[in-house]
Amino acid sequence: MTTDIHNEAEIHKKSGLFKRFEKYLGEFVYGGIDGCVTTFAVVAGSVGAGLDSAVIIILGFANLLADGFAMSVGAFLSTKSEQDNYNKHKLVEYWEVENLPEVEKEEIREIYAAKGFKGELLEKVVEVITQDKEVWVNDMMKEELGMIKEDRSPFWIGATTYMSFILIGIIPLFIYVVDYVSPLEQNLFLVASILTAIGFMVIGWLKTYVNQTSIIKGILETLFLGGIAAFVAYFVGDFLERLIVG
């Protein structure tokens, strides 16, 4: 009996951890896509320009750390601004509910009348909603202003974005780091391309859970967009190398 209770507690614990991760899955996916695409573009452009492995590693990690940080800060500030804006409007709604209750009641009445409520049922809905100020204000925020509270942590949104950017974005650089430590005979760019394609497939698969689309579509779409970015970067690098170096 004790074992069953213990096992059930473990299952709930793991389920809770998954749900917390799931809340930030969108940021993980898009941070990973951006990290993989931009870093592979740097690698492809560098290879196209004929740069050696040491330079590719320097440029790649500089992009990985700086661009990833900038993206995570942007995600943090965007969420924080959204929450601040929501709280500002919510304070206004509280003031109106407390100081202009009849006006606000009439707005609730108009909102639910537009939804098809009539007569006694409409008045009952208005009465129930306006009995609780928190419910009243939240309803006004959603129905009148079209604003829904973002309850996720801005810090964890930014942190998840950065961790994903680094974790997935390092894939195109991995083989170059290995080669720098212990020189290899393989075609490094080909190996990096294969590893990056696998990274795109994984992140494309995860993206389907965010967008609720088919797995094949998510994987192919991510591979296609990443391939375009790499193609453009490679030939831009090659063109500039020919133009400048000759």
Side-chain angles (χ1 to χ4, degrees):
M1 182 69 178
T2 305
T3 304
D4 291 341
I5 294 173
H6 177 73
N7 290 338
E8 187 175 347
E10 285 297 314
I11 291 171
H12 281 298
K13 183 179 178 182
K14 290 177 181 178
S15 175
L17 289 172
F18 178 76
K19 285 180 179 179
R20 281 195 289 273
F21 173 74
E22 194 175 27
K23 285 174 64 176
Y24 301 97
L25 182 59
E27 282 68 36
F28 185 88
V29 167
Y30 294 116
I33 290 174
D34 198 33
C36 206
V37 168
T38 56
T39 307
F40 188 56
V42 169
V43 170
S46 300
V47 171
L51 303 179
D52 63 29
S53 294
V55 177
I56 291 174
I57 291 171
I58 292 169
L59 292 177
F61 274 98
N63 169 80
L64 191 65
L65 297 173
D67 199 21
F69 183 73
M71 185 179 180
S72 66
V73 168
F76 169 82
L77 292 177
S78 175
T79 307
K80 186 70 167 57
S81 297
E82 185 180 328
Q83 289 184 344
D84 290 344
N85 188 48
Y86 180 92
N87 291 333
K88 179 186 72 175
H89 282 87
K90 190 169 184 177
L91 287 175
V92 172
E93 287 297 329
Y94 261 116
W95 184 91
E96 290 178 347
V97 163
E98 290 174 354
N99 294 276
L100 304 168
E102 293 306 316
V103 174
E104 293 300 294
K105 273 188 180 180
E106 184 57 33
E107 289 182 358
I108 287 288
R109 187 174 287 107
E110 290 173 0
I111 288 169
Y112 282 88
K115 291 177 181 285
F117 290 86
K118 298 178 182 178
E120 187 178 338
L121 178 59
L122 174 61
E123 295 306 315
K124 185 64 177 176
V125 168
V126 173
E127 180 185 349
V128 170
I129 290 174
T130 56
Q131 278 179 351
D132 187 315
K133 285 185 180 179
E134 182 68 16
V135 172
W136 190 354
V137 168
N138 286 338
D139 207 58
M140 294 296 289
M141 292 293 293
K142 180 181 177 181
E143 302 294 343
E144 182 186 26
L145 303 178
M147 300 178 72
I148 299 175
K149 185 178 181 180
E150 172 60 85
D151 61 352
R152 297 179 303 164
S153 163
F155 171 80
W156 282 113
I157 285 177
T160 303
T161 301
Y162 193 44
M163 288 187 289
S164 174
F165 194 100
I166 298 294
L167 183 64
I168 307 299
I170 202 171
I171 291 174
L173 293 171
F174 177 75
I175 195 65
Y176 289 95
V177 174
V178 172
D179 177 68
Y180 184 78
V181 174
S182 179
L184 303 171
E185 298 298 328
Q186 287 89 349
N187 182 326
L188 298 181
F189 185 61
L190 177 61
V191 175
S193 299
I194 293 171
L195 291 175
T196 302
I198 294 171
F200 281 141
M201 291 172 68
V202 171
I203 208 72
W205 171 68
L206 286 174
K207 187 171 70 130
T208 63
Y209 286 90
V210 177
N211 295 343
Q212 297 297 306
T213 55
S214 73
I215 293 176
I216 297 298
K217 180 182 177 182
I219 290 173
L220 291 179
E221 186 178 72
T222 308
L223 275 173
F224 178 70
L225 294 175
I228 290 176
F231 178 84
V232 171
Y234 180 88
F235 284 101
V236 167
D238 182 61
F239 172 76
L240 292 176
E241 192 269 340
R242 293 172 185 275
L243 181 67
I244 296 171
V245 180

